[in-house]
């Protein structure tokens, strides 16, 4: 029945809207509807020359957004936006366009966000104030919640989402006129204290007087739960969020230190006026030492010297210099005695008289003793008067000398200075029996207070500074241990009682806690507490009801509600994204995007040709009436025909080159640098491998290490069997330097000997079938002298002979003369023989051959034969050959001439 009545009322309201509203096109990203509407949320998109303007609902819009009508306006260069209250956008369209509500809440007088909107922003000054709202619907910015109450009830409800129709909220939650109690952003963690307001950037904004990351304490100079400013004219207060604001130390105006003064008063001109008995010191500090005629006693006061003494010692007061006509008293070092007056005849004048030369004359009535007839000639003043600057003056009833701030001293018969920090002083009930130590201060230097007749820096315990004169320390009431402002405003109490707001009580009242004998107020966030901090709450007030980890918070999380019965947060029903109570009928917003709120219950939407608008909680078709007005009502104007309202965006194949972002360029640069580094590293690695191979080949050629030995193979087998650490690989112990050098020397000498043998062997040839000029039978061997090299080669080493050094060659066979130089080097067969040596084989061989050839020797038979042939005139030239014809007439062998019958003339 309820649903039927609701449908009838909805159709009726829709017809009224259709009859009274204007035609418009309302769009979200992906869909537009044309019809009659009063909705004003969002922004109006228009462009010159277009058939109709569009009302854009909150959302994200890009250059690919459908339909074609919306796409054409968004991409038009002349398009402009007109935002509604609470929305901020540039007049020109820049894609992508994020149309969103500014931090705050917008109240609409009618449902479905219709009517003239009223925007309330999130407080920027840190102060939440109550505000009456006349709202049929509410739009909330994302991450913002508001606390509301309805009518006169104290029911407090927290809204986290937009409400398209306040009448659809649970009846137990909000009914009647709405009141905005507070607004916060949910971005702060931890949450702000009660005085602070969370901003969208996640920081707490504090009102004036509050400070701290959560606005939990008072700033300096503020006190009380509202952090109000302390009164003016005070240096130190009872400040802080639990303080009373009472003045503890008053501000001192013109203290002596302000004009570089110690015992004086600073004037308006910056000059210091010294107290009696004080003068400036040599270091420039004013009124810091005793004036002439005064001395510094053990109490720090400047006392006057005795009569007749112009200078006396500090502490003791012993007279250093006496006045003219006075002599120092032998029995009292502090005093000087006046010389007795005598006449010219030698008569001694008695007290009260003086000598005028020939006789004694009476002193002035003001003088007790004198040196002349006037009152200025008194040595000791008469009764009731006291010496001051050479004159006798009287005193008042407090012993204060006439026309001065000095007090009478009966012992010295003169006026003496007041104590150091006193500007004025007196002796109560002064008489001839009064002593100067009975003097009491009646005025003090700025910065000092008067306590029991003395000037002190601060009032002692049990007294307070009287606010009437800011000078006198007054005793507290007997019930107080300490007090401030008045004698009965106790800061601490006697008899083990507790001071609470100036009074003494036996136990602390509610909303306070005990600390050091006083009852201090709880933090304003707490109802009761165990300490003064904002996280020491024991119970909470109604405006901050949620107690969590000692803190009082304004709300539970979005998916929870505060249960007053248990004073705890309870989870909402699964169909609710936020709620005001248990069950599915207390929803304030729906968790499913396909559901809408109806009377506190989330039901499936019945959107016609549309869907639920994200963030608004209603169908797009609920905002736009597309059907004609029902019968009985005034007809609605026909809807204009608009092209492209349902057409999708046509895709284009043209691609516009996109410029690279800075981070893409940076990544490409880093990638190229990495590839270059890898290539260089690989190249260096390959070069090191090649260098290692060349080093190994050199070591092998030089035989620096014999890896093929049985010891090396045994060690490598053990390492493979048992394992080893690279830094602990077992190697053959290195030989000493001398052994290695000796082995290297022996190897070089052995190689040198091999090279010499090769050189000598190059002269040895196979016997030629042709006649030879040298004998092969009687060769004389030339033995070399023993040397270290021959000793290394052994006793059986081959011997070098002249014949081997002068073996036959083609030159010898043709010319018959032995070569006087070594035969050219023959090519070697091994590349290892080309390795450099420390010795020069050619030089050694050449010098050795010449040494052997230059020795005289007997001619051989071949040489004798050659000489005989050369003496025969018909003999053919020496060394000539001819061909012997065969029977066939062709020459088939060579035969030498002049050999007789033998083919070998050397055997004849």
């Amino acid at each position: 029945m309820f649903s039927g009545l609701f449908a009838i009322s909805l159709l009726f309201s829709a017809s009224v809207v259709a009859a009274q509203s204007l035609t418009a096109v309302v769009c979200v990203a992906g869909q537009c509807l044309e019809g009659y509407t009063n909705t004003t949320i969002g922004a109006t998109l228009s462009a010159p020359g277009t058939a109709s303007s569009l009302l854009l609902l909150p959302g994200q819009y890009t250059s690919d957004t459908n339909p074609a009508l919306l796409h054409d306006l968004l991409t038009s260069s002349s398009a402009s936006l007109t935002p509604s209250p609470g929305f901020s956008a540039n007049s020109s369209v820049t894609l992508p366009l994020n149309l969103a509500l500014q931090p705050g809440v917008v109240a609409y007088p009618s449902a479905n966000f219709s009517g003239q909107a009223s925007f309330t922003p999130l407080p920027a000054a840190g102060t939440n104030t109550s505000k009456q709202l006349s709202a049929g619907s509410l739009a909330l910015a994302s991450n913002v919640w508001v606390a509301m109450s309805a009518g006169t009830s104290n029911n407090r409800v927290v809204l986290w989402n937009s409400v398209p129709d306040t009448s659809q909220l649970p009846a137990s939650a909000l009914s009647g006129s709405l009141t905005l109690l507070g607004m916060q952003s949910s971005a702060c963690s931890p949450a702000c204290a009660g005085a602070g307001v969370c901003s969208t950037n996640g920081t707490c904004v504090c009102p004036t007087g509050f400070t701290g990351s959560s606005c939990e304490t008072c700033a300096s100079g503020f006190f009380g739960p509202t952090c109000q400013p302390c009164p003016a004219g005070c240096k130190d207060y009872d400040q802080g969020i639990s303080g009373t604001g009472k003045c503890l130390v008053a501000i001192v105006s013109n203290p002596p230190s302000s004009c570089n003064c110690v015992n004086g008063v600073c004037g308006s001109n910056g000059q210091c006026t010294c107290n009696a008995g004080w003068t400036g010191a040599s270091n420039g500090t004013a009124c810091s030492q005793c004036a002439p005629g005064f001395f510094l006693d053990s109490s720090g006061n400047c006392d006057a010297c005795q009569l007749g003494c112009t200078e006396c010692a500090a502490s003791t007061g012993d007279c250093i210099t006496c006045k003219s006509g006075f002599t120092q008293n032998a029995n009292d070092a502090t005093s000087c005695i006046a010389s007795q007056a005598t006449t010219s005849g030698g008569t001694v004048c008695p007290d009260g008289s003086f000598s005028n030369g020939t006789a004694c004359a009476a002193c002035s009535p003001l003088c007790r003793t004198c040196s002349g007839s006037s009152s200025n000639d008194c040595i000791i003043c008469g009764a009731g008067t006291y010496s001051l600057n050479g004159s006798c003056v009287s005193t008042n009833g407090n012993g204060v000398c006439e026309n001065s701030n000095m007090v009478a001293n009966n012992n010295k018969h003169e006026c003496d200075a007041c104590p150091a920090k006193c500007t004025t002083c007196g002796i109560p009930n002064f008489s001839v029996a009064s002593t100067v130590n009975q003097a009491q201060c009646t005025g003090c230097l700025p910065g000092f207070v008067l306590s029991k007749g003395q000037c002190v820096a601060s009032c002692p315990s049990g007294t307070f500074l009287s606010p009437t004169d800011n000078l006198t320390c007054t005793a507290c009431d007997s019930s107080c241990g300490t007090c401030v402002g008045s004698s009965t405003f106790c800061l601490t109490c006697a008899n083990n009682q507790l001071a609470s707001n100036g009074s003494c009580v036996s136990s602390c009242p509610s909303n306070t806690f005990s600390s050091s004998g006083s009852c201090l107020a709880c933090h304003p966030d707490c109802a009761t507490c165990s300490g003064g901090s904002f996280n020491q709450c024991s119970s909470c007030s109604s405006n901050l009801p949620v107690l969590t980890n000692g803190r009082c918070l304004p709300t539970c999380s979005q998916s929870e509600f505060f249960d007053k019965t248990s004073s705890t947060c309870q989870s909402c029903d699964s169909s609710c994204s936020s709620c005001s109570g248990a069950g599915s009928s207390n929803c304030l917003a729906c968790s499913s995007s396909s559901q809408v709120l109806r009377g506190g219950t989330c039901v499936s939407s019945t959107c016609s040709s549309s869907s639920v608008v994200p963030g608004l909680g209603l169908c797009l078709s609920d905002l736009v009436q597309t059907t004609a007005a029902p019968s009985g009502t005034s007809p609605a104007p026909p809807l204009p025909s608009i092209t492209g309202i349902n057409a999708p965006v046509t895709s284009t194949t043209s691609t516009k080159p996109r410029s690279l972002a800075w981070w893409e360029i940076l990544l490409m640069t880093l990638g190229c640098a990495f590839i270059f580094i890898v290539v260089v590293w690989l190249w260096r690695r390959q070069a090191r491998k090649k260098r290692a191979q060349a080093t190994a080949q050199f070591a092998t050629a030089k035989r620096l290490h014999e890896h093929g030995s049985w010891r090396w193979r045994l060690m490598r087998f053990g390492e493979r069997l048992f394992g080893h650490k690279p830094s602990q690989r077992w190697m053959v112990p290195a030989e000493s330097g001398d052994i290695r050098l000796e082995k290297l020397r022996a190897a070089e000498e052995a190689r040198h000997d091999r090279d010499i043998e090769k050189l000598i062997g190059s002269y040895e040839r196979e016997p030629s079938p042709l006649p030879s000029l040298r004998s092969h039978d009687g060769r004389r061997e030339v033995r070399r002298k023993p040397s270290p090299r021959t000793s290394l080669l052994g006793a059986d080493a081959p011997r070098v002979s002249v014949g081997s050094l002068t073996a036959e060659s083609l030159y010898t066979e043709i010319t018959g003369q032995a070569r006087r130089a070594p035969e050219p080097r023959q090519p070697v067969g091994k590349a290892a023989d080309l390795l450099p040596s420390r010795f020069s084989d050619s030089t050694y061989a050449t010098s050795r051959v010449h040494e052997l050839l230059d020795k005289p020797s007997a001619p051989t038979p071949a040489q004798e034969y050659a000489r005989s042939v050369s003496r025969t005139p018909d003999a053919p030239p020496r060394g000539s050959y001819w061909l012997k014809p065969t029977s066939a007439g062709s020459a088939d062998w060579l035969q030498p001439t002049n050999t007789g019958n033998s083919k070998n003339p050397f055997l004849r």
Side-chain angles (χ1 to χ4, degrees):
M1 178 178 179
F2 174 77
S3 60
L5 291 175
F6 170 73
I8 293 173
S9 62
L10 183 62
L11 288 175
F12 176 77
S13 62
S15 64
V16 173
V17 168
Q20 296 179 355
S21 58
L22 300 177
T23 60
V25 178
V26 182
C27 296
V28 293
Q31 186 179 12
C32 290
L33 283 182
E34 181 188 12
Y36 308 97
T37 183
N38 269 337
T39 298
T40 57
I41 189 172
T44 302
L45 176 65
S46 60
T50 56
S52 175
S53 59
L54 308 181
L55 177 62
L56 301 185
L57 299 180
Q60 182 84 19
Y61 299 89
T62 65
S63 58
D64 299 331
T65 301
N66 282 314
L69 175 63
L70 177 58
H71 172 268
D72 293 342
L73 275 179
L74 287 173
T75 57
S76 174
S77 60
S78 59
S80 62
L81 276 175
T82 305
S84 64
F87 290 85
S88 177
N90 295 327
S91 58
S92 60
V93 178
T94 303
L95 298 178
L97 173 63
N98 184 23
L99 187 60
L101 182 64
Q102 296 300 299
V105 59
V106 181
Y108 297 89
S110 303
N112 298 340
F113 312 106
S114 301
Q116 184 63 37
S118 174
F119 176 63
T120 302
L122 188 69
T127 303
N128 264 314
T129 57
S130 299
K131 181 180 181 180
Q132 295 292 329
L133 298 177
S134 177
S137 56
L138 296 170
L140 267 70
S142 59
N143 296 326
V144 171
W145 57 264
V146 294
M148 310 284 291
S149 66
T152 58
S153 65
N154 293 326
N155 192 18
R156 181 175 178 272
V157 177
V158 177
L159 299 178
W160 294 81
N161 305 94
S162 297
V163 180
D165 190 353
T166 56
S167 63
Q168 300 303 322
L169 294 174
S172 60
L174 296 173
S175 59
S177 60
L178 301 179
T179 301
L180 178 63
L181 301 178
M183 186 188 317
Q184 296 271 357
S185 171
S186 58
C188 295
S189 180
C192 301
V197 175
C198 180
S199 62
T200 54
N201 60 6
T203 59
C204 296
V205 181
C206 303
T208 303
F210 286 86
T211 188
S213 59
S214 299
C215 306
E216 71 275 13
T217 61
C218 289
S220 178
F222 295 84
F223 75 97
T226 59
C227 289
Q228 63 193 51
C230 295
C234 200
K235 184 178 180 180
D236 189 17
Y237 303 87
D238 181 19
Q239 58 184 344
I241 206 161
S242 300
T244 61
K246 295 290 185 178
C247 182
L248 302 179
V249 178
I251 294 178
V252 178
S253 59
N254 294 328
S257 58
S258 64
C259 61
N260 194 26
C261 185
V262 177
N263 294 291
V265 178
C266 295
S268 58
N269 58 355
Q271 298 296 322
C272 183
T273 302
C274 296
N275 292 346
W278 293 91
T279 189
S282 59
N283 61 1
T285 304
C287 311
S288 58
Q289 72 177 14
C290 294
F294 294 83
F295 71 96
L296 187 69
D297 66 7
S298 59
S299 299
N301 301 322
C302 282
D303 294 339
C305 296
Q306 293 279 3
L307 284 175
C309 184
T310 58
E311 183 182 2
C312 49
S315 299
T316 61
D318 293 346
C319 189
I320 298 175
T321 304
C322 294
K323 290 181 181 181
S324 177
F326 287 80
T327 58
Q328 191 163 6
N329 189 345
N331 298 323
D332 185 3
T334 63
S335 64
C336 292
I337 302 174
S339 301
Q340 286 184 334
T342 59
T343 63
S344 58
T347 302
V348 177
C349 295
D351 290 343
S353 64
F354 69 97
S355 173
N356 59 7
T358 59
C360 294
C363 294
S364 169
L366 298 178
C367 299
R368 180 177 174 183
T369 61
C370 64
S371 60
S373 60
S374 69
S375 61
N376 293 329
D377 294 329
C378 296
I379 297 175
I380 299 176
C381 294
T385 61
Y386 299 87
S387 177
L388 177 63
N389 298 327
S391 299
C392 293
V393 295
S394 60
T395 63
N396 61 12
N398 292 324
V400 179
C401 294
E402 184 181 1
N403 299 324
S404 72
N405 291 325
M406 302 179 73
V407 66
N409 189 330
N410 287 322
N411 293 327
K412 296 179 181 179
H413 304 286
E414 61 182 341
C415 296
D416 212 338
C418 292
K421 304 303 178 183
C422 299
T423 56
T424 58
C425 63
I427 300 176
N429 302 319
F430 178 76
S431 67
V432 294
S434 298
T435 58
V436 73
N437 59 3
Q438 294 176 337
Q440 294 185 0
C441 298
T442 56
C444 298
L445 294 176
F448 292 84
V449 293
L450 192 60
S451 175
K452 296 181 180 179
Q454 295 180 350
C455 291
V456 294
S458 61
C459 290
S461 178
T463 63
F464 72 99
L465 183 65
S466 174
T468 57
D469 59 3
N470 286 329
L471 174 66
T472 308
C473 294
T474 307
C476 295
D477 187 78
S478 59
S479 63
C480 300
T482 58
C483 59
V484 64
S486 69
S487 60
T488 57
F489 193 93
C490 301
L491 294 179
T492 59
C493 296
N495 303 322
N496 295 326
Q497 287 190 312
L498 301 173
S500 175
N501 196 25
S503 302
C504 292
V505 295
S506 58
S507 61
C508 290
S510 179
N511 199 29
T512 62
F513 67 97
S514 175
S515 175
S516 302
S518 300
C519 295
L520 302 181
C522 290
H523 193 276
D525 287 2
C526 308
T528 59
C529 62
S530 59
S533 177
F534 75 129
N535 58 1
Q536 292 179 303
C537 300
S538 302
S539 62
C540 301
S541 58
S542 59
N543 60 332
L544 299 172
V546 181
L547 180 63
T548 302
N549 297 326
R551 287 200 57 188
C552 290
L553 303 178
T555 180
C556 302
S557 64
Q558 182 176 355
S559 60
E560 295 178 330
F561 70 95
F562 181 71
D563 185 11
K564 294 182 179 180
T565 304
S566 61
S567 297
T568 58
C569 293
Q570 302 293 332
S571 298
C572 294
D573 187 78
S574 59
S575 62
C576 309
S577 64
S578 61
C579 63
S580 61
S584 60
S585 61
N586 286 310
C587 294
L588 300 176
C590 298
S591 58
S592 174
S593 59
S594 62
Q595 291 184 321
V596 294
L597 188 66
R598 294 291 181 262
T601 303
C602 291
V603 298
S604 298
S605 63
T606 56
C607 302
S608 58
S609 66
S610 66
S611 59
V612 176
V613 180
L616 297 184
L618 80 170
C619 301
L620 179 60
S621 57
D622 293 339
L623 298 176
V624 182
Q625 180 66 34
T626 59
T627 59
S631 59
T633 62
S634 59
L639 296 175
S641 176
I642 301 176
T643 59
I645 195 169
N646 294 318
V649 177
T650 57
S651 59
T652 58
T653 58
S654 62
T655 58
K656 183 179 180 180
R658 182 179 65 88
S659 59
L660 296 177
W662 66 269
W663 59 269
E664 294 175 327
I665 298 174
L666 179 61
L667 287 179
M668 293 173 63
T669 304
L670 294 178
C672 293
F674 176 75
I675 294 174
F676 175 76
I677 292 173
V678 170
V679 170
V680 171
W681 177 75
L682 292 175
W683 175 78
R684 284 179 55 84
R685 187 168 178 264
Q686 185 66 21
R688 292 178 64 183
K689 284 186 176 180
K690 289 183 179 180
R691 187 162 61 251
Q693 292 175 358
T695 303
Q697 292 177 359
F698 174 81
T700 302
K702 288 293 185 179
R703 299 180 182 178
L704 298 180
H705 53 76
E706 297 293 342
H707 284 183
S709 63
W710 66 270
R711 294 181 66 192
W712 186 86
R713 289 195 297 271
L714 180 61
M715 288 184 290
R716 298 292 84 79
F717 174 75
E719 290 175 352
R720 288 193 298 270
L721 182 62
F722 300 105
H724 70 281
K725 294 182 179 180
S727 60
Q728 298 178 353
R729 180 172 179 176
W730 190 88
M731 302 296 293
V732 177
E735 296 176 339
S736 64
D738 295 341
I739 296 177
R740 292 182 62 189
L741 184 61
E742 185 64 28
K743 286 187 176 182
L744 182 60
R745 183 182 296 110
E748 291 289 347
E749 291 178 350
R751 179 178 177 279
H752 170 72
D753 290 337
R754 289 196 301 269
D755 292 342
I756 293 299
E757 291 303 324
K758 288 180 183 179
L759 176 63
I760 296 175
S762 65
Y763 292 95
E764 297 180 355
R765 308 170 65 95
E766 292 294 330
S768 174
L770 300 179
S772 174
L773 299 178
R774 299 183 180 277
S775 172
H776 294 278
D777 297 331
R779 292 182 298 180
R780 292 177 297 137
E781 295 180 350
V782 180
R783 189 180 301 272
R784 292 178 297 173
K785 293 181 180 182
S787 65
R789 290 191 297 274
T790 57
S791 64
L792 290 173
L793 296 175
D796 298 332
R799 298 175 179 176
V800 182
S801 65
V802 177
S804 64
L805 292 175
T806 60
E808 294 89 346
S809 65
L810 183 60
Y811 175 85
T812 304
E813 291 176 351
I814 295 176
T815 64
Q817 300 294 329
R819 289 184 63 88
R820 303 288 296 177
E823 193 72 18
R825 297 287 298 271
Q826 300 298 318
V828 295
K830 295 182 180 179
D833 294 336
L834 294 176
L835 293 175
S837 173
R838 295 180 300 160
F839 306 99
S840 174
D841 298 337
S842 300
T843 303
Y844 179 84
T846 304
S847 60
R848 183 63 176 164
V849 169
H850 282 287
E851 179 184 352
L852 296 177
L853 292 179
D854 290 340
K855 288 183 178 182
S857 59
T860 63
Q863 292 173 340
E864 292 178 354
Y865 174 76
R867 292 191 185 98
S868 65
V869 172
S870 62
R871 290 192 293 268
T872 306
D874 298 332
R878 183 176 56 185
S880 63
Y881 292 83
W882 68 92
L883 293 177
K884 181 180 179 180
T886 61
S887 58
S890 61
D892 57 356
W893 72 80
L894 291 173
Q895 184 174 354
T897 60
N898 300 324
T899 59
N901 295 327
S902 174
K903 295 182 178 180
N904 188 350
F906 306 112
L907 299 179
R908 292 177 59 189

